[in-house]
Amino acid sequence: MRKVIATVFNYSLDGLLADEHTEFWDFCFSHPEIAHPEDPAHLDFLRGAHAHVMGRASYEAIAEAMTSPATDHPFAGLLTDGHKVVFSRTLKKADADWANTTIAAGDTTEEIDRLRTGGDGYILVWGGVGLFRSLMQLDLVDELRVSMFPYIAGEGTRIFDGVPKSYQLELVSHTASAGGIIELRYRRAR
């Protein structure tokens, strides 16, 4: 059975996401590791996903960035070729320019269970906040990967608001980049 890995990137030391049009957002996207994300291990991790799962707003933003004719982003080819699943009850059809996309509008647990069935890879959750919270409330996340930036944001979205009060995790690994980003990998304690 494939595991569900939720990724939380652009996360501050004070527990906030980098919301667009904030100083923290600008800091994250001007950071060399984010501006030029060419780490071979990270690219292999993305390549190993059976499915890239997103909420509607995240899908629309990422699709726009990855299908722009001017993009030379290292993720563009990986994501375009990869199987993408958009969890949305309002989106009726996928972006015609972004191949291999399906819409999941049914029961969240049933949709995830269908994705879990089968062979290799894992299910990689990119966001957004509503999808993260829903998956955590339904206890469907097997692993959480957090990229914590050396930054106190003071403003932004708290991703873990509204999730169960008791959600024990086990640390699997932690690494620090030369630029000060801490990559935390947690497994759901069951």
Side-chain angles (χ1 to χ4, degrees):
M1 182 181 285
R2 294 184 183 104
K3 65 182 171 181
V4 175
I5 302 173
T7 58
V8 179
F9 42 91
N10 302 343
Y11 198 64
S12 71
L13 191 59
D14 57 338
L16 299 165
L17 291 173
D19 289 342
E20 202 167 357
H21 309 298
T22 63
E23 288 180 26
F24 182 35
W25 174 275
D26 294 341
F27 173 82
C28 290
F29 286 96
S30 66
H31 202 284
E33 293 170 51
I34 302 304
H36 305 287
E38 298 166 4
D39 174 35
H42 189 68
L43 294 174
D44 286 344
F45 171 66
L46 298 178
R47 207 175 279 115
H50 165 72
H52 298 273
V53 171
M54 304 167 204
R56 181 198 50 80
S58 293
Y59 169 76
E60 289 172 343
I62 296 169
E64 182 179 344
M66 294 299 125
T67 60
S68 164
T71 193
D72 62 350
H73 197 285
F75 296 177
L78 289 168
L79 289 174
T80 297
D81 293 344
H83 176 209
K84 295 165 292 297
V85 180
V86 183
F87 277 72
S88 176
R89 290 188 173 81
T90 58
L91 191 65
K92 299 303 175 200
K93 65 180 205 152
D95 185 323
D97 293 331
W98 216 17
N100 307 315
T101 302
T102 57
I103 310 293
D107 178 80
T108 301
T109 301
E110 290 175 10
E111 297 281 4
I112 290 291
D113 284 347
R114 268 194 286 281
L115 289 170
R116 283 184 192 264
T117 307
D120 297 333
Y122 34 85
I123 302 157
L124 187 55
V125 181
W126 288 73
V129 173
L131 180 59
F132 276 127
R133 289 175 180 165
S134 177
L135 294 175
M136 290 183 78
Q137 288 165 351
L138 294 167
D139 202 15
L140 297 174
V141 175
D142 300 304
E143 190 173 298
L144 191 62
R145 294 189 179 202
V146 179
S147 297
M148 186 170 297
F149 280 69
Y151 198 92
I152 306 281
E155 64 177 336
T157 302
R158 294 197 178 280
I159 193 168
F160 300 111
D161 284 355
V163 299
K165 291 185 191 280
S166 178
Y167 204 87
Q168 184 178 347
L169 301 167
E170 299 168 347
L171 182 64
V172 175
S173 66
H174 57 88
T175 57
S177 72
I181 299 171
I182 306 294
E183 299 291 340
L184 301 164
R185 184 175 164 208
Y186 292 101
R187 180 181 308 121
R188 175 73 170 116
R190 299 194 191 277

